[in-house]
Amino acid sequence: MTTALGTDLRTALAAVPTPIAAVAAEVDGAPVGMIVGSFVGLSLDPGLVSFSLQKTSTTWPQLRAAERLGISILTSDHSHQVRQLAGPTEYRFAGVNYRTEGDAIVLDGATTGLVGRLVSEFSAGDHNVAIVEVEQAHHEPHPQPLVYHGRSIATLGR
């Protein structure tokens, strides 16, 4: 975005806290995952959530093929792993503890862990929006969820 509106919009949206979420699954026996933007709960009946991802992602085509996806809402305990999980694919899961539910991967210590299947995907500008139907939901209260706010990673709470 090089237009004045694009610059203004980027600045405006950076002021809106967004939970930091990881989406992951085992693909061909190896963990594959990524940090996604704009995680949103959509519906309780049926249970639907969505997230957005850049169209240039090379990880999403691999994850899209998984039978189930794990979605982890990260906490301050993960702050040292966020850049790793968004970095080079071969190092994303080095030293990262997680559990599997079928082929879905949920990171240990996530305040919220969801397992579901991709039910829809559509194009939205320079991103795609994925909609996942939740089949399992687990919540562990944590006083400091991670958010993206003000163009940086921050924590909420105490």
Side-chain angles (χ1 to χ4, degrees):
M1 276 189 259
T2 58
T3 67
L5 174 59
T7 301
D8 291 347
L9 182 58
R10 181 183 301 269
T11 300
L13 293 178
V16 179
T18 303
I20 296 180
V23 175
E26 284 190 345
V27 177
D28 296 328
V32 175
M34 61 190 296
I35 299 295
V36 298
S38 303
F39 173 85
V40 177
L42 295 176
S43 170
L44 295 176
D45 187 18
L48 298 173
V49 297
S50 71
F51 52 85
S52 65
L53 45 122
Q54 293 180 343
K55 287 184 175 179
T56 57
S57 170
T58 57
T59 303
W60 178 242
Q62 296 173 64
L63 285 173
R64 181 190 293 123
E67 185 176 330
R68 299 287 182 270
L69 298 170
I71 303 170
S72 304
I73 306 302
L74 305 183
T75 69
S76 59
D77 296 340
H78 300 100
S79 58
H80 66 285
Q81 295 175 326
V82 172
R83 297 212 189 284
Q84 175 183 335
L85 290 164
T89 56
E90 62 270 18
Y91 303 113
R92 288 187 184 166
F93 286 89
V96 175
N97 295 320
Y98 61 87
R99 70 179 188 280
T100 57
E101 300 285 339
D103 56 351
I105 291 175
V106 177
L107 275 60
D108 290 352
T111 189
T112 298
L114 306 173
V115 174
R117 61 183 181 84
L118 179 68
V119 294
S120 183
E121 182 180 356
F122 60 91
S123 174
D126 59 0
H127 279 63
N128 285 330
V129 176
I131 298 177
V132 172
E133 184 170 0
V134 177
E135 297 172 345
Q136 296 176 35
H138 181 73
H139 175 69
E140 288 291 331
H142 193 284
Q144 294 185 310
L146 282 181
V147 295
Y148 181 76
H149 182 252
R151 296 188 181 143
S152 64
I153 297 168
T155 57
L156 291 180
R158 297 179 211 114

